[in-house]
Amino acid sequence: MAESLTPEESGERDQRLVDAPLVSPAPPAGLREVFRRRYLLRLLVRREVSARYQGSVLGMMWSYINPMSQLFIYWVVMGMIIGRGTENFGIHVFCGLIVVHFFIETFGAGTRSIMRNKALVRKMAMPREMFPVASMLVSLYHMGPQLLILIVCCLFMGWTPTVVGMLGFLLAVLTMGTLGTALALTFAAANVFFRDVGSVVSILTNFIRFGVPMIYPFTLVQERFGAAAAYYLYNPIADAVLLMQQAFWVGTTDDPTAVQAHHIPDHLFAYSFLGLGISFVALAIGQFVFSKLENKIPERLT
Amino acid sequence: MSHPASTSIVVDGVSKYFTMRYQRTLKQMTVAAVKGREISDTFKALDDVSFTVEQGESIGLMGLNGSGKSTLLKLVNGVMRPDGGSVLTRGRIAGLIATGAGFHPQLTGRENVYLNAAILGMSEAETRRKFDEIVEFADIGRFLETPVGNYSSGMFARLGFSVAVHVDSDIFLADEVLAVGDRPFKKKCQQRMQEVRAEGRTLFYVSHAAGSVRKMCDRVIVLEKGRVGYDGDVAEGIKYLKYDPDDDSTPEVDEDDDLGADI
Ligand SMILES: Nc1ncnc2c1ncn2[C@@H]1O[C@H](COP(=O)(O)OP(=O)(O)OP(=O)(O)O)[C@@H](O)[C@H]1O
Ligand SMILES: [Mg+2]
């Protein structure tokens, strides 16, 4: 086959000196790497925010309708029908609902995140921790407007923020974000191997809703279990709910000092910092499990 | 082991195993176990593959379907890690694997361009600078603003190729990029890949078309059931594969062959 070669085809080419080390092409993984690639993370978060309710007419509204409907149910059923004598019961529930919802969304969406982004995971080299972390940030973003509603309601009821309350609030969000990411990492990886994991998560989240003093006051737990109620406080999610109530609900009642003394357990901050510690340990374990399973993730995605 | 600064890719004794799962549910697995049938089986998609590529070399990777070409590229671009041996690369890698880019079907073309470029390591400013060029090359018109899930496979490939080729990479992987493009686009792609080659980037080109490999590459590696069957000169390699269409083809087919159509 006689070919007339153009200069390019004849193999004349530039010498390209690549000033980089010879390394493994697999990108460095791990949570630290995720935060180093902030631009990519931002893009993923932005796309999640717009994609979570893509194709629905109400769109973003669903992130308010969903918690508001839960608030409504709990308020009506627990507050009016069963009729517990908790002051400002609606606020009491809503405080808890906001952090619990944040946690559950992080956990649930994070667990599904790898599967949902499988087109990318299968073909692009990137730290895959990106996806659960992005889910957490999206949930955080969705928490904003709910908080706004809560704050407006509270202000309307004569609430003024306190320094301790706000520190507690930040601690609650930090703990829930950490613990949520920890679980999301573990379950997202596991979900690739066994789709059953997704169903397990929805059962777990049901337990979470009832395992925290949200639709019932903490005093009830103390009454029933006495000294054993301390064990209840080893649950970081329960602590986060109580921190939220301390930050918002307490200030809306007629006599905040009495309510604080009666409803908020002593040493709540001690328990909460323990909870934060537990969450960071969980995050380390989650990262470990994820890196163990990550290797096989791309080939198991079908 | 040390390599000179001009080494671009080192693949050293690489193996990759895949698990074939026959039964998936607990019930099926129990039944299979009782009957003594196999539940799963591992097989070697790549078996002790070794070669070294110099910067600027242009490699044609050939082999029958299922011989492990795409798997090898996935190891080279870092999506998968080898189960045995090691893969080392120098510099930034871009390219297409198994015809398509890693695009998210729900995102629009525009969003995918930005996302894809970011994953490949481009900054926002860099992407913005190259965006028009990318779009112009892909030439998919107003479909840029619609979700890529609705693209025709050709359009999907065009946009993917366009992003990959505009990334300033040191290694370019092209896995059957020309398989679905139409004729004008194939021509444009080949031209662009010749430019890539002329810039001194390492090119990894997977194709079943002998003609385009002959034009594009200066070395051929043939995979046979996950092993390196041949590594060396292009003409010899094509002969080795018995892909050379010289003896039994019409001129029309021959011309198509040049553009990378399947034979
Ligand atoms: N994730 C996976 N799980 C199990 N088996 C896999 C997986 N990916 C690839 N394989 C198997 O590995 C073998 C090699 O596949 P590969 O895609 O690398 O072939 P190829 O050489 O690219 O073929 P083609 O020419 O058809 O593109 C095939 O037998 C395929 O079935
Ligand atoms: Mg292939």
Side-chain angles (χ1 to χ4, degrees):
Chain A
M1 205 189 268
E3 287 180 64
S4 62
L5 298 177
T6 66
E8 270 176 1
E9 285 169 3
S10 67
E12 244 174 64
R13 66 193 69 163
D14 300 343
Q15 279 294 327
R16 188 187 182 101
L17 271 181
V18 182
D19 184 24
L22 202 56
V23 291
S24 162
L31 290 166
R32 201 174 323 136
E33 187 64 16
V34 170
F35 289 101
R36 214 179 54 75
R37 300 187 66 176
R38 278 185 300 275
Y39 166 54
L40 177 55
L41 187 60
R42 204 167 66 228
L43 282 184
L44 285 176
V45 170
R46 207 185 298 157
R47 83 145 220 93
E48 279 274 302
V49 165
S50 61
R52 195 169 281 191
Y53 298 108
Q54 203 192 30
S56 75
V57 183
L58 294 177
M60 270 286 281
M61 289 294 289
W62 283 111
S63 1
Y64 314 115
I65 296 174
N66 191 2
M68 293 310 267
S69 69
Q70 281 182 50
L71 171 65
F72 181 73
I73 292 166
Y74 294 138
W75 194 6
V76 170
V77 174
M78 308 303 283
M80 297 187 174
I81 300 178
I82 301 181
R84 303 225 63 87
T86 309
E87 203 179 339
N88 295 342
F89 187 69
I91 303 281
H92 183 275
V93 174
F94 198 31
C95 286
L97 204 53
I98 289 177
V99 275
V100 169
H101 195 71
F102 168 51
F103 178 77
I104 286 176
E105 281 280 287
T106 304
F107 189 12
T111 298
R112 279 172 270 123
S113 61
I114 302 263
M115 287 302 294
R116 223 185 17 233
N117 288 290
K118 62 181 171 195
L120 297 181
V121 176
R122 230 181 351 213
K123 289 199 176 154
M124 308 296 285
M126 63 197 288
R128 279 141 202 153
E129 286 89 347
M130 284 273 173
F131 299 108
V133 172
S135 297
M136 187 271 284
L137 292 174
V138 173
S139 307
L140 190 65
Y141 175 86
H142 282 284
M143 191 173 83
Q146 296 168 26
L147 259 183
L148 200 69
I149 297 175
L150 176 69
I151 289 175
V152 169
C153 290
C154 287
L155 285 172
F156 191 67
M157 300 178 84
W159 165 83
T160 46
T162 62
V163 173
V164 173
M166 288 304 108
L167 287 178
F169 161 66
L170 292 179
L171 181 58
V173 174
L174 178 63
T175 309
M176 289 301 91
T178 311
L179 191 61
T181 310
L183 293 178
L185 276 175
T186 314
F187 282 78
N191 193 35
V192 173
F193 298 92
F194 306 103
R195 298 306 134 73
D196 315 55
V197 169
S199 319
V200 172
V201 169
S202 54
I203 294 173
L204 278 181
T205 53
N206 272 334
F207 279 107
I208 291 167
R209 285 205 185 87
F210 292 94
V212 298
M214 174 170 76
I215 48 182
Y216 50 84
F218 178 65
T219 45
L220 203 65
V221 180
Q222 271 175 325
E223 272 169 35
R224 293 284 153 84
F225 298 111
Y231 291 107
Y232 184 92
L233 293 175
Y234 286 125
N235 173 6
I237 311 167
D239 298 335
V241 169
L242 285 164
L243 284 172
M244 285 295 285
Q245 288 165 357
Q246 174 180 264
F248 298 100
W249 172 68
V250 168
T252 65
T253 54
D254 293 336
D255 186 357
T257 327
V259 168
Q260 169 87 22
H262 184 57
H263 283 274
I264 304 298
D266 301 334
H267 313 302
L268 178 57
F269 271 99
Y271 282 110
S272 302
F273 275 110
L274 181 67
L276 184 63
I278 292 172
S279 305
F280 273 111
V281 172
L283 188 63
I285 295 172
Q287 169 75 81
F288 178 76
V289 172
F290 193 88
S291 356
K292 283 281 157 210
L293 296 178
E294 189 194 12
N295 222 356
K296 292 267 164 203
I297 284 178
E299 61 197 67
R300 292 294 287 267
L301 282 174
T302 36
Chain B
M1 204 165 36
S2 78
H3 297 277
S6 62
T7 309
S8 179
I9 304 173
V10 179
V11 173
D12 184 21
V14 162
S15 317
K16 181 75 198 172
Y17 300 87
F18 284 127
T19 316
M20 294 163 98
R21 281 151 299 138
Y22 304 121
Q23 270 78 30
R24 294 197 67 122
T25 69
L26 198 59
K27 186 180 157 200
Q28 287 173 341
M29 284 197 283
T30 320
V31 171
V34 169
K35 290 190 179 167
R37 263 189 272 136
E38 282 189 273
I39 295 170
S40 70
D41 189 12
T42 59
F43 90 103
K44 275 186 173 173
L46 290 176
D47 185 4
D48 196 21
V49 173
S50 301
F51 56 86
T52 310
V53 179
E54 295 294 302
Q55 181 66 46
E57 258 190 297
S58 156
I59 311 282
L61 189 57
M62 302 184 80
L64 301 178
N65 292 139
S67 53
K69 303 181 296 297
S70 299
T71 307
L72 180 59
L73 288 202
K74 280 181 189 165
L75 294 175
V76 170
N77 106 333
V79 172
M80 289 181 181
R81 278 171 232 173
D83 292 321
S86 69
V87 178
L88 298 174
T89 58
R90 197 192 298 280
R92 200 191 256 180
I93 306 167
L96 295 183
I97 289 184
T99 51
F103 278 161
H104 202 292
Q106 283 164 10
L107 293 185
T108 67
R110 175 185 297 272
E111 290 168 319
N112 264 309
V113 168
Y114 273 92
L115 189 57
N116 218 268
I119 296 173
L120 290 170
M122 269 161 83
S123 71
E124 191 170 6
E126 208 179 344
T127 315
R128 199 167 293 144
R129 202 151 13 90
K130 294 204 170 144
F131 189 81
D132 290 339
E133 230 179 298
I134 292 172
V135 171
E136 196 195 342
F137 187 88
D139 191 24
I140 54 169
R142 62 205 168 84
F143 286 100
L144 188 66
E145 311 297 341
T146 63
V148 300
N150 299 339
Y151 283 17
S152 73
S153 32
M155 282 157 61
F156 194 89
R158 292 167 88 110
L159 195 60
F161 182 83
S162 187
V163 177
V165 86
H166 283 90
V167 174
D168 188 22
S169 63
D170 304 305
I171 300 171
F172 188 75
L173 312 175
D175 189 354
E176 301 185 48
V177 274
L178 305 182
V180 289
D182 55 25
R183 212 182 155 78
F185 190 68
K186 277 183 185 174
K187 247 190 189 128
K188 204 155 79 167
C189 282
Q190 283 211 324
Q191 206 173 5
R192 193 72 180 87
M193 273 194 288
Q194 290 290 7
E195 281 168 41
V196 164
R197 196 177 158 202
E199 284 162 16
R201 302 200 220 170
T202 307
L203 180 67
F204 237 103
Y205 181 62
V206 177
S207 176
H208 294 291
S212 67
V213 170
R214 194 178 289 124
K215 261 189 170 175
M216 200 75 71
C217 307
D218 30 45
R219 177 175 157 196
V220 162
I221 294 176
V222 177
L223 285 182
E224 278 175 339
K225 294 190 178 143
R227 290 173 159 276
V228 177
Y230 173 89
D231 181 354
D233 182 66
V234 176
E236 284 289 310
I238 291 169
K239 210 173 277 165
Y240 180 90
L241 263 175
K242 304 190 180 66
Y243 266 18
D244 212 313
D246 277 353
D247 21 77
D248 58 313
S249 65
T250 64
E252 214 272 316
V253 170
D254 213 3
E255 196 185 359
D256 262 350
D257 181 59
D258 269 0
L259 281 173
D262 284 331
I263 40 175

